[in-house]
Structures are given as structure tokens and as C-alpha cells.
Amino acid sequence: MKRISHAVGGVAVTGVLLIGAVGCTSVDPRKTFPAVAKDVKSRTGYRVAWATGTAEDAAVRAEVLRLLEGELSAPAAVQVALLNNPRLQAAYEDVGIAQAELVQAGLLKNPLLNASARFPTGGGTATVDVGVMFDFLQLLYIPMRKRLAAGELEVAQLAVTQKVLQTADQTRQAWVRLVSAKQNLELHQSIAAATAASADLAGRMRQAGNTTELELARQEAFGERARLGLMAAEEEAAVAQEGLALVMGVDLDRTTLVVPARLPDLPVDALGGADARKAAIAKNIELAILRNQLERLSRELGLTRPAGWLSDLELGVAFERDDAGVASVGPAVAVPLPLFSQGQPAVSIAESKLRQATKIYLGAANGVAAQSRLAARDVAASEARVERLRTTLVPLQRRITAASQLEYNGMLIGSFELLSAKQQEIEAGGMYVSALADYWLARSRLETVLAGGGFSSGMSSSRNLMQAQPAGGHE
């Protein structure tokens, strides 16, 4: 007797309708990126654009070229980086991946086709069985899977926003380093010129017999040290320019970066305050990601507990018709046998992960609060140093140079003493530039914290507390 058997997925009509509904699902990776752009705009005031080969790309490139024309301010440099940095553009793809995974979470798993053939040992017609099995429980889990995937999409969006804030911070710091390096280079050029003049004068005086060999050697050594300092300053400026170009995604072989000759003076407005720092903690991206992780682990625990060892249950309907035309229909079921595991390990793992994530969140909250206070303290301390230099040491060195000039005119001191006073005045100006650069670097870090981000990798060594106790303890 010839027999053909069929097994059809459980709740056949419902399965067909669902498969038909999702079969034409399309994925738009850019669908949720506007939410990221809006979040970045509200936190920083800057705009971001994702280059995906659309007509908008040409307008973005034109804006980048316009911003690079003329003198480049710190805000312009940040805007160029947010539009042009290739690593940031790569990070935007994470949002597209998460969007596609959200769509995938709403799709049914493909049914399994089973087929077998049996041949009678004594000869005769073969028996062929054909079955289609459908994972019935997935119908119940699709809403929860979609909620989990939506949470992962939110995490991807927050992570991208975090990278945007870090890139903005890195760009501001690179800009400050380049401007201060060029300003420092100018000071070293002045020092080198002064010491060269002093050494030249000492050489002529030695030839005339009006100074000693020791004094000539001393002035020549001063000149050599000044030249070595100038060489180091030139290298520092070149490295700083490469650093800014790199974070902006600019090729220096094709583009010339023109930055201001001086760092901005201390601003009149104070940045933040206790209330602003509290608000920054509330909108901190790292804590938001950890909160999302807690919610996801809670959902996963709720998904694991009821399923247990029945997570692989499959239901179906079997249909059979023999050679005589007699048909028979009945249920088909595939049930795992709980011989080795009843699902307890999976539940225990999910519970441990949830407790672990809770403790990590509490530690991260403490770390973010410490970051906020430390960033504000660094800005205040840097500002105090700048003010101290501006109101005390720099004016004092100017007075010393002016008084030395008067005494030189009265033939009370020699030219070496006058040149030394001028050199010390220039060095005091270098200390002021360095302190001012430290202030703007600290202010950039605080701006990042107030926007909900964390410190960039360019933290100075005095901030090692945050490295020893990382806020969050996760990648």
C-alpha cells in the first residue's frame, strides 16, 4: 500500500496569516537615526548626519568645506568632526544593525520540513512521510522578543550618542592643544631670538676682551637650550595639528587648518553649578544604558522562568491519505524529555545576572557623581591658577623687565641682565598659556559631563582616580 503523510504547523490558518503578514517586511536602517540626531542636538547644540549615499551627503560635504574655510574656531572644528569623522560614521551603523534586529525579532522562525522514506524488506511500494513542524511557543514570545530588541535599539542609540559626546570632547581638546602649541611655539621663538642675541653680544664682547670665557660659554649654553626648546615646540605643534585633523577626519595633504593665534581668555560666565551637575547625573548616558540593561535582564528572567524545559515544545497537525483515498487527521507534537535538565540552571543564571547588573548600576551611579564633582573642581582650580598668573606673576615679570630696562639705560646693569629679565618675562607668559590651556581642557571635560557623557581618553594624570575606580565596570 502506498502511503503519503503530511504534518502541518500548529494553528495552520494563523501561521499562514502571520507568515503572509511578515513576508514582505522591509528594513530601513535610517528609520530611528533622527531620534539620535535630536538627542545630540538637545545635549550639545550640534547636528549629526549619517552618510548612506543619499542626496543629503552632498550638502553635508559642502557644509564641511565651508566650515574649513578661513580661521577654524573650536565650535566649527567640533561640527566638522561630528559630520566628517569616519569612526563616528561607522558607529552610526550600529543603529542600523539594531533596527534590523528589531525587525527580525518580530518575524516568525521558519518552519522545519521533515521527510523520510521507508522501503519494505520484502519488496513493494515505499512509504513516504513528509512533515512540517512549527515552533508553537514562539507565537507567545514574539511580543517579549520585540520588547527586548527595542531595548537593544535604545542602547545602540545611547551608545552612539555617547560616542558623539566623546568625539566632541576629543575635538575641543585637540583644538585647544593645537592653538596652545602654536602660541607656545611663538614664545619659544621669542626666547630663542633673545638668547641668540645674548650669545652674539657675548661673543663680540669676548673678542673685545670685555667678558670672560665662562660668561661666553654660559650664554652659548642658554642659546642651545633655547634652540632645543624651539625644536620641541615645533614638533609639538606638528603633532597637535595631526591630532586635530585626525579627529575631524581631514586630510592635511588636501586641507590646511588655520586656527587662532591665541587661546580665548577666561569666559565671564560660569559653567554649570550644583543644580546643573545633578541634572547631568540624571541624564547620564552610561546610567541610562545600565538601566536599560536592568530592564532587559528582568524581561529575560520573566522569559526564562515560565519556559523552563518546555522552551523547545513544538506543535503541529498531521494529515495522512492512503491508496484507498481514506484520509486521517490528527495532532502532531514534539516534546523535549527532561532527563538531564529541567531549566533550573538557566533560571539561576538569569537571576545572578540581574543581581550583578543591579550592583554594577549602584557603583556606576557613585562613579558618575564623583566624575561630576571632580570635573567641576578641576575647572575651578584651573581658573584660579590662570587668574593667579594673570594678576601676579606675569605683571611682576613685566615690572622687572621695565625696571631692568631703566637700569640698563642708566648703565647700572649690563645687557645680559636685561636679556635675562626679558627671557623670564617670556617664560612667565608661557606658564600663563599652559595654565589657560589646562582650563579649557578641563572645561571641555565638564561640558561633556553636563551633556550626559563621561571623560574622554585624554584625561590628565591628576584624574587617575576615575581610572582606578571606573564608573560602571563594563565595556
Side-chain angles (χ1 to χ4, degrees):
M1 179 180 71
K2 182 178 180 181
R3 187 182 68 180
I4 300 178
S5 300
H6 305 275
V8 184
V11 194
V13 175
T14 303
V16 170
L17 290 176
L18 286 173
I19 293 172
V22 301
C24 59
T25 301
S26 61
V27 180
D28 180 8
R30 295 177 55 91
K31 182 177 180 180
T32 57
F33 187 75
V36 175
K38 182 178 179 181
D39 189 24
V40 170
K41 185 74 172 180
S42 66
R43 291 174 183 269
T44 67
Y46 294 101
R47 82 180 193 92
V48 293
W50 183 6
T52 56
T54 64
E56 182 185 357
D57 295 353
V60 171
R61 287 193 295 270
E63 181 177 356
V64 169
L65 293 176
R66 180 185 61 80
L67 290 171
L68 291 173
E69 294 177 354
E71 191 173 86
L72 187 68
S73 65
V78 172
Q79 185 61 84
V80 169
L82 298 190
L83 295 176
N84 201 54
N85 185 294
R87 293 182 182 272
L88 201 54
Q89 289 292 324
Y92 296 157
E93 298 293 341
D94 290 337
V95 178
I97 294 171
Q99 173 64 27
E101 290 175 345
L102 174 59
V103 174
Q104 180 64 44
L107 300 178
L108 297 172
K109 294 181 181 179
N110 292 325
L112 298 176
L113 174 64
N114 299 317
S116 63
R118 296 188 296 274
F119 300 92
T121 58
T125 305
T127 299
V128 178
D129 291 332
V130 178
V132 178
M133 298 301 293
F134 175 68
D135 185 356
F136 177 75
L137 288 181
Q138 68 171 309
L139 291 173
L140 305 178
Y141 290 152
I142 280 180
M144 187 168 290
R145 286 209 316 264
K146 291 183 67 175
R147 286 194 297 270
L148 290 173
E152 291 299 323
L153 174 59
E154 182 182 352
V155 168
Q157 292 172 319
L158 289 170
V160 167
T161 301
Q162 177 81 301
K163 290 178 181 178
V164 170
L165 296 182
Q166 290 173 349
T167 302
D169 179 29
Q170 291 165 1
T171 306
R172 283 192 299 266
Q173 295 203 28
W175 183 90
V176 169
R177 291 191 181 96
L178 177 55
V179 176
S180 63
K182 287 184 173 295
Q183 195 169 349
N184 188 50
L185 174 59
E186 183 180 335
L187 291 172
H188 275 277
Q189 290 170 340
S190 299
I191 294 174
T195 55
S198 181
D200 180 68
L201 177 61
R204 287 187 278 109
M205 291 180 68
R206 178 58 184 159
Q207 289 178 354
N210 295 328
T211 189
T212 65
E213 185 66 28
L214 175 61
E215 186 62 29
L216 174 61
R218 184 183 292 118
Q219 296 303 322
E220 288 177 343
F222 286 158
E224 285 302 317
R225 280 195 289 268
R227 279 189 286 273
L228 288 172
L230 176 59
M231 292 171 62
E234 290 172 342
E235 179 63 19
E236 180 185 0
V239 171
Q241 182 165 257
E242 290 288 351
L244 179 58
L246 181 62
V247 74
M248 291 170 59
V250 172
D251 185 358
L252 289 179
D253 290 333
R254 300 179 179 179
T255 306
T256 300
L257 298 181
V258 180
V259 296
R262 298 284 186 275
L263 285 171
D265 293 328
L266 292 178
V268 178
D269 63 309
L271 184 63
D275 292 339
R277 292 196 298 274
K278 289 180 181 178
I281 294 172
K283 64 180 181 181
N284 182 267
I285 294 176
E286 182 180 22
L287 296 182
I289 291 175
L290 290 175
R291 284 194 297 270
N292 187 286
Q293 183 182 12
L294 283 172
E295 294 173 1
R296 177 176 60 82
L297 290 172
S298 297
R299 294 192 188 106
E300 287 181 353
L301 180 59
L303 193 68
T304 304
R305 276 176 173 162
W309 58 274
L310 289 176
S311 58
D312 296 324
L313 174 65
E314 293 182 354
L315 300 178
V317 176
F319 171 81
E320 179 180 297
R321 185 190 304 274
D322 59 20
D323 289 340
V326 178
S328 59
V329 180
V333 61
V335 182
L337 299 177
L339 299 179
F340 307 110
S341 173
Q342 291 79 43
Q344 297 94 330
V347 173
S348 179
I349 291 172
E351 290 174 343
S352 293
K353 286 183 177 180
L354 181 59
R355 289 193 299 269
Q356 182 185 55
T358 301
K359 294 169 184 176
I360 289 176
Y361 178 84
L362 294 176
N366 292 333
V368 169
Q371 275 192 344
S372 177
R373 291 190 298 269
L374 185 59
R377 188 177 297 117
D378 285 346
V379 170
S382 300
E383 183 176 3
R385 285 193 295 271
V386 171
E387 279 297 301
R388 187 73 178 178
L389 284 164
R390 187 183 68 83
T391 59
T392 58
L393 184 59
V394 171
L396 276 174
Q397 289 298 153
R398 288 174 180 167
R399 285 171 54 194
I400 291 173
T401 301
S404 298
Q405 182 68 54
L406 291 175
E407 291 193 2
Y408 175 76
N409 294 339
M411 302 181 66
L412 299 177
I413 62 173
S415 58
F416 295 148
E417 289 83 357
L418 176 60
L419 289 172
S420 177
K422 183 62 177 177
Q423 181 177 346
Q424 290 176 6
E425 180 187 349
I426 294 173
E427 290 174 350
M431 294 175 63
Y432 175 78
V433 171
S434 178
L436 189 58
D438 287 342
Y439 167 81
W440 286 110
L441 293 175
R443 184 181 174 98
S444 178
R445 289 190 290 267
L446 181 56
E447 287 182 13
T448 303
V449 170
L450 295 179
F455 289 141
S456 73
S457 58
M459 292 169 56
S460 63
S461 59
S462 64
R463 283 61 172 178
N464 287 339
L465 171 64
M466 293 299 100
Q467 296 176 358
Q469 299 183 14
H474 69 291
E475 295 293 331

